[in-house]
Amino acid sequence: LASYVAELDNTLSEIEQNISRLKAQITATEEEIVHMEEELTVAQAQESSQKDSMILRIRLMYEKGNASAMDMVLGAKGLGDFLNRADFMESVMAYDHQRWEEYIETRKLIELSKEELELEKEILDQAKANVEIEQKNLESLIAQKTKDLTAYESDISTQEKAIKEYEQMIAEQDAEITFDQVIAVNDD
């Protein structure tokens, strides 16, 4: 009985450790999710800002038209001025291209963050499910232990009752033997 109880206690201890480990994992995952959601919010705000800037830039280019860019280059007052204006136009185009690339990178970051966030949420859900399973295992083991101990206590009580009955029978038989011996001694 003692070894069985010790084995159950060890199993209970292991399950409780698993539950504690899983709860720690859940807490860490929840913190990671909060951090990832904050990063995602920042990235989405950055994307929105970049998008607004590009829309404004495109609107200005449309309103002024490409003719003004051509007029700027063709309106040069000499070769040096032409080269300066061409260099400026190239710089503007490089700047626009760089902004576009940054926007694309921000979009990729947002998509990756969303995927990573979903993965973390799946891990969290799995950890919570594992805690529930371990909790049910713990409750089942406790119920089994209680049932077994109750059965053992009942068995012990039955055995003690039987021992008392035997002891009473022996006492009665001893008394009867003693009585018979006294009668036999008195008859002699």
Side-chain angles (χ1 to χ4, degrees), residues 7-112:
E7 182 182 328
L8 285 177
D9 287 342
N10 285 340
T11 305
L12 287 172
S13 177
E14 288 175 14
I15 291 173
E16 287 171 344
Q17 288 173 356
N18 284 342
I19 290 172
S20 293
R21 182 183 50 78
L22 288 169
K23 285 183 177 180
Q25 180 184 358
I26 287 170
T27 300
T29 304
E30 287 173 338
E31 290 172 0
E32 181 65 24
I33 287 172
V34 167
H35 178 71
M36 292 172 73
E37 286 174 339
E38 290 170 355
E39 287 180 348
L40 181 60
T41 301
V42 168
Q44 288 172 328
Q46 183 180 1
E47 175 205 19
S48 179
S49 173
Q50 289 171 333
K51 184 177 180 181
D52 291 344
S53 294
M54 286 191 316
I55 288 172
L56 179 62
R57 174 80 175 113
I58 290 169
R59 184 179 304 134
L60 288 174
M61 285 174 41
Y62 180 76
E63 287 172 359
K64 289 187 175 183
N66 285 338
S68 68
M70 289 300 265
D71 288 341
M72 187 174 160
V73 172
L74 294 176
K77 296 186 172 65
L79 183 59
D81 189 31
F82 174 78
L83 291 175
N84 285 338
R85 290 178 183 219
D87 186 46
F88 175 75
M89 291 300 295
E90 185 178 330
S91 297
V92 168
M93 288 175 19
Y95 174 81
D96 289 344
H97 182 72
Q98 179 183 0
R99 293 292 164 235
W100 175 251
E101 290 298 321
E102 289 173 2
Y103 176 76
I104 296 298
E105 288 301 312
T106 302
R107 288 290 319 142
K108 287 179 184 177
L109 174 66
I110 288 171
E111 292 306 313
L112 286 173

